[in-house]
Amino acid sequence: MSFLSVTREDMHSRGWDQLDFLYISGDAYVDHPSFGHAVITRLLESEGYRVGIIAQPDCKTGNDFITLGRPKYAVLISSGVIDSMVNHYTASKKRRSEDAYSPGGRAGYRPDRAVIAYSNKIREVFKGVPVIIGGIEASLRRFAHYDYWDNRVRRSILQDSRADLLIYGMGEKPVIEIARQLREGIAVEAIRNVRGTAYMAGLDKLSEDIREFIKGNGGNDGKYSLLKSFEEVAEDKEAYARSFKVQYDEQDAITGRTLVQKHSDRYVVQNPPAQAMTVKEMDRVYSLPYERTYHPSYEKYGGIPAIKEVEFSITSHRGCYGGCSFCALNFHQGRTIQNRSRQSIISEAVKLTWLPGFKGYIHDVGGPTANFRHEACTKQKDKGVCKERQCLYPEPCKNLIVDHSEYLGLLRRVREIPGVKKVFIRSGIRYDYLMLDKNDEFFMELCKHHISGQLKVAPEHVVDRVLDRMGKPGRRVYDKFVKRFYEINKKIKKEQYIVPYMISSHPGSDLKAAVELAEYLRDLGHMPEQVQDFYPTPATLSTCMFYTGLDPRDMKKVYVPKAPKEKAMQRALLQYRRPENYELVYEALKITGRDDLIGFGPKCLIRPRRAAKKRAEAAGGSQKAIAAGKAVKGKNHKRVQAERKKLTRTRH
């Protein structure tokens, strides 16, 4: 085994004078199956192609891009595991100072909107070479989309990148088919029939049947669906919401139609999604000869921090039918579960025990949702996923298969491997699905063997009207889960805790909902160390709500907290004990008329101002804590009253 070519010397050592495919990555080169660039390049290598990688090239000049020469067939481009804008900026649009996917964890190794920047640079240095984009950034921006950082609707990334093809979703099947057609001499502009791809072309370059469909005023003919144009969705939020719903419903390989969206005088065409990978195909992908670590050239910088989370983890499956509104999995991996075989996973676990640095702990055996190891129902195999309902929301479907036995058997086998001390589950347990299982065997063993004192779960919120917009189960389900968790731990005589993950300022959450969430955390006795503001990333239902103020599922209006001050108050309420949050919490409670939560009683969130000031001074508090105790008078009081009126108007 060895790393793929990253220098001319690497190519010469293999006897190569030219690559077949050049892969440009926004992440540092980590040869591990958790990284898309490793999977795609290793897969192409296994098909007999000569492949090289240029990681994080400098876009200021073209020098880095030409180090491996002009490839024979195409340049493949991805911004990395994470959208470059999400990677660079926080939810409050502040520049991040660290990048776990870069040498030494330092930021600044890739440009903003990396796919566009890399693609246009390749067009400069290798004129006429086919450019194929993929990965999460390209996948989620394939249509006209709301961009949080520009605060406007942007065109398809196909137009701005000038790419010839876009591979969306998990790209193994499409990239093999594209490579085959290119090798057979088919021009890239003629490759129009590959599932899991999108392209952009003028009307005269489209197939005859698509042209006829468009000329017939589009609509929906069972095979194609014409979306509202870029110009329409950029100007009309209702049109945007309706168009997004169509896109959202057509991401299934069995039922999905070809989608067409006009951009000025050109058209974006999305072919139906790629067929789900078989167990055999999944096994092959994860059996490729990965080095399972970063390229040795990064050692002098301190390595690549991102490897720490996945180095001793195993991906057991792909896809998720959970249907969370804020998640882009529907658009990328899809709702259909794609499995690896038990033996494939066992073999990988054994390999982990041979790795340097392995201390007996496997950090994860899971996927997007760890306990979704098989299809949601038998109907999905032939009829695809349902368009008009989710598997778990608002109530579990009667056809849902609830069974943890296969996953439990897998975990038992991994635990028995010599050298394995403990197997953790970190990729997330869907607690509502777990509570549907009448057999407590998995729940019992989860608590007994797969938790290291704390189980992180994601209720996201506890107020039902917010959970409804999130596509999550009501609070009663979570409360039932928490109760059962502690009952089981008492039974097995273990002291373990639940750490809930919450989101502030999600569409549908007003200040009153944020106060209710703070009260829940008070009763739980839990104060989150970190709070995640809702982040409007491309291609999610929640982002559509954020931009349009409409829920595309029912076109009802949704309250959206956008003002920085209100978002800061919602976030502060989740950490109401922190002295630096006192002012924001105090103001939020005044605005919502919850003065009953300011006082000395056990149900109060904060103390009155004078008492808070004395307490801070007595404790030798910081200047922030002392300042937090100053009285609000004059214009400050008027602002509170104005905010309260505004809140009332917004709700009605």
Side-chain angles (χ1 to χ4, degrees):
M1 291 193 302
S2 63
F3 288 90
L4 297 171
S5 295
V6 297
T7 66
R8 282 279 190 176
E9 289 73 20
D10 291 340
M11 290 173 59
H12 294 157
S13 70
R14 290 172 166 83
W16 299 351
D17 56 4
Q18 185 182 28
L19 296 173
D20 293 323
F21 290 96
L22 171 63
Y23 194 109
I24 306 292
S25 170
D27 288 338
Y29 177 24
V30 182
D31 193 32
H32 188 283
S34 292
F35 291 75
H37 61 248
V39 171
I40 296 300
T41 53
R42 285 295 185 189
L43 188 60
L44 287 170
E45 178 192 47
S46 73
E47 292 284 315
Y49 298 101
R50 299 175 176 184
V51 188
I53 290 181
I54 296 176
Q56 301 184 317
D58 184 359
C59 283
K60 293 177 183 177
T61 70
N63 297 337
D64 288 350
F65 292 83
I66 62 175
T67 54
L68 299 182
R70 182 187 180 97
K72 183 178 181 180
Y73 294 131
V75 177
L76 310 175
I77 295 174
S78 168
S79 70
V81 174
I82 301 176
D83 183 285
S84 61
M85 299 303 284
V86 176
N87 183 280
H88 291 169
Y89 300 95
T90 68
S92 57
K93 300 185 182 180
K94 294 180 180 178
R95 189 85 184 188
R96 298 187 196 272
S97 59
E98 297 179 344
D99 181 352
Y101 298 90
S102 292
R106 291 184 289 274
Y109 279 88
R110 83 188 90 201
D112 286 356
R113 310 191 188 284
V115 169
I116 295 172
Y118 293 156
S119 298
N120 285 313
K121 185 58 66 174
I122 284 292
R123 286 294 189 204
E124 291 179 20
V125 299
F126 294 139
K127 296 184 185 303
V129 172
V131 174
I132 302 168
I133 59 177
I136 197 78
E137 183 167 313
S139 182
L140 301 187
R141 296 170 181 269
R142 56 191 184 267
F143 296 109
H145 58 280
Y146 171 72
D147 184 89
Y148 175 61
W149 303 272
D150 281 355
N151 193 28
R152 65 180 176 89
V153 176
R154 287 181 65 97
R155 304 177 297 188
S156 165
I157 198 170
L158 277 163
Q159 185 158 358
D160 289 335
S161 67
R162 299 183 293 164
D164 295 291
L165 282 173
L166 182 156
I167 297 175
Y168 68 90
M170 309 304 283
E172 291 96 339
K173 282 194 168 185
V175 80
I176 289 175
E177 177 59 22
I178 292 168
R180 183 190 66 79
Q181 293 194 35
L182 289 172
R183 184 165 56 185
E184 291 176 356
I186 299 173
V188 70
E189 58 269 19
I191 300 175
R192 295 288 183 259
N193 60 342
V194 179
R195 280 176 163 267
T197 66
Y199 59 90
M200 195 170 200
L203 186 64
D204 61 325
K205 300 295 183 182
L206 299 177
S207 65
E208 184 177 348
D209 54 341
I210 293 180
R211 288 201 304 270
E212 289 301 315
F213 166 71
I214 293 170
K215 289 177 181 177
N217 296 317
N220 182 350
D221 72 346
K223 185 178 180 181
Y224 303 102
S225 188
L226 184 64
L227 304 172
K228 298 289 185 181
S229 70
F230 161 71
E231 289 77 14
E232 289 176 288
V233 300
E235 294 295 326
D236 185 341
K237 291 183 177 181
E238 183 177 333
Y240 183 100
R242 293 189 184 281
S243 178
F244 180 84
K245 181 61 165 59
V246 176
Q247 297 168 35
Y248 193 83
D249 288 342
E250 300 296 339
Q251 301 309 317
D252 181 70
I254 295 175
T255 63
R257 288 183 278 258
T258 297
L259 301 180
V260 182
Q261 186 177 51
K262 188 177 182 184
H263 283 56
S264 186
D265 59 346
R266 304 182 76 207
Y267 292 84
V268 171
V269 179
Q270 177 199 282
N271 291 323
Q275 294 290 348
M277 294 180 72
T278 65
V279 172
K280 185 177 180 180
E281 288 169 335
M282 286 280 284
D283 286 355
R284 179 194 176 198
V285 165
Y286 287 93
S287 68
L288 296 172
Y290 306 101
E291 292 286 345
R292 299 193 70 90
T293 188
Y294 51 78
H295 193 275
S297 62
Y298 301 122
E299 199 65 55
K300 60 186 176 183
Y301 301 105
I304 309 300
I307 192 64
K308 294 176 183 177
E309 281 297 314
V310 298
E311 186 176 13
F312 304 118
S313 296
I314 300 172
T315 299
S316 62
H317 61 279
R318 295 176 181 172
C320 180
Y321 52 80
C324 298
S325 302
F326 46 80
C327 181
L329 272 169
N330 180 75
F331 251 72
H332 194 61
Q333 288 193 13
R335 290 167 57 190
T336 301
I337 303 298
Q338 301 170 67
N339 273 329
R340 294 172 61 185
S341 70
R342 183 183 295 192
Q343 187 53 51
S344 170
I345 295 166
I346 298 297
S347 297
E348 183 174 351
V350 171
K351 289 179 184 177
L352 294 186
T353 66
W354 302 340
L355 293 177
F358 182 73
K359 297 179 180 179
Y361 301 99
I362 293 180
H363 297 157
D364 190 27
V365 178
T369 299
N371 55 333
F372 287 174
R373 264 286 290 168
H374 51 72
E375 69 277 359
C377 71
T378 56
K379 293 183 177 181
Q380 285 187 357
K381 293 179 180 179
D382 301 319
K383 298 181 179 179
V385 299
C386 300
K387 291 186 178 183
E388 296 305 321
R389 70 152 295 146
Q390 295 289 335
C391 302
L392 285 162
Y393 168 86
E395 295 293 337
C397 177
K398 63 180 181 180
N399 296 315
L400 184 66
I401 300 170
V402 180
D403 185 4
H404 288 87
S405 60
E406 191 275 339
Y407 185 41
L408 180 57
L410 171 63
L411 293 171
R412 287 171 176 168
R413 286 284 305 276
V414 176
R415 294 202 310 258
E416 293 169 355
I417 294 172
V420 173
K421 298 177 182 177
K422 186 103 174 172
V423 180
F424 297 110
I425 299 175
R426 292 185 177 175
S427 51
I429 292 291
R430 188 72 186 226
Y431 61 84
D432 51 342
Y433 180 76
L434 178 58
M435 294 308 295
L436 292 173
D437 196 341
K438 296 178 181 179
N439 186 340
D440 261 354
E441 197 172 14
F442 174 74
F443 205 163
M444 191 75 70
E445 292 200 23
L446 171 70
C447 295
K448 190 179 292 186
H449 298 292
H450 303 291
I451 301 172
S452 58
Q454 294 181 338
L455 176 63
K456 295 181 180 179
V457 292
E460 319 295 357
H461 216 284
V462 296
V463 178
D464 285 352
R465 63 182 180 278
V466 182
L467 291 168
D468 183 59
R469 297 306 175 191
M470 291 180 165
K472 299 282 284 187
R475 175 176 168 174
R476 61 179 177 78
V477 180
Y478 180 64
D479 288 343
K480 184 180 177 183
F481 163 75
V482 171
K483 182 175 181 290
R484 187 61 185 140
F485 174 84
Y486 287 110
E487 286 173 351
I488 289 175
N489 278 278
K490 184 178 180 180
K491 186 175 182 178
I492 63 176
K493 298 180 180 179
K494 278 200 169 190
E495 189 174 342
Q496 300 188 123
Y497 302 94
I498 287 176
V499 178
Y501 178 85
M502 303 292 185
I503 296 178
S504 65
S505 302
H506 187 276
S509 175
D510 56 17
L511 269 180
K512 281 198 170 184
V515 171
E516 289 182 58
L517 180 53
E519 290 183 277
Y520 175 82
L521 294 173
R522 172 204 64 202
D523 295 341
L524 191 66
H526 173 69
M527 187 57 51
E529 291 184 11
Q530 293 181 322
V531 174
Q532 176 62 57
D533 265 354
F534 167 67
Y535 205 153
T537 55
T540 72
L541 279 165
S542 297
T543 297
C544 182
M545 292 182 217
F546 178 88
Y547 171 59
T548 65
L550 300 167
D551 187 330
R553 295 170 298 184
D554 55 18
M555 294 306 291
K556 291 182 179 179
K557 291 184 178 180
V558 180
Y559 174 75
V560 180
K562 288 188 177 182
K565 183 63 176 291
E566 182 184 350
K567 292 176 72 174
M569 285 191 284
Q570 291 208 28
R571 185 171 59 249
L573 280 162
L574 270 64
Q575 297 173 315
Y576 62 86
R577 291 179 189 166
R578 291 191 175 184
E580 64 269 27
N581 287 339
Y582 184 92
E583 281 290 339
L584 289 167
V585 174
Y586 184 92
E587 189 170 345
L589 295 177
K590 284 289 184 181
I591 291 171
T592 55
R594 294 302 306 273
D595 298 67
D596 59 302
L597 297 178
I598 303 171
F600 300 96
K603 295 293 186 181
C604 292
L605 299 182
I606 57 175
R607 298 191 174 195
R609 287 186 175 278
R610 187 172 297 177
K613 179 180 178 181
K614 285 183 178 180
R615 187 182 187 189
E617 290 173 338
S622 65
Q623 288 301 312
K624 283 186 177 180
I626 294 172
K630 292 183 179 179
V632 175
K633 295 182 179 180
K635 64 178 182 179
N636 208 20
H637 176 69
K638 291 179 181 178
R639 186 175 73 252
V640 171
Q641 296 289 54
E643 290 286 347
R644 182 181 292 170
K645 289 180 181 178
K646 180 181 177 183
L647 183 68
T648 302
R649 286 198 304 270
T650 306
R651 284 200 305 271
H652 294 289

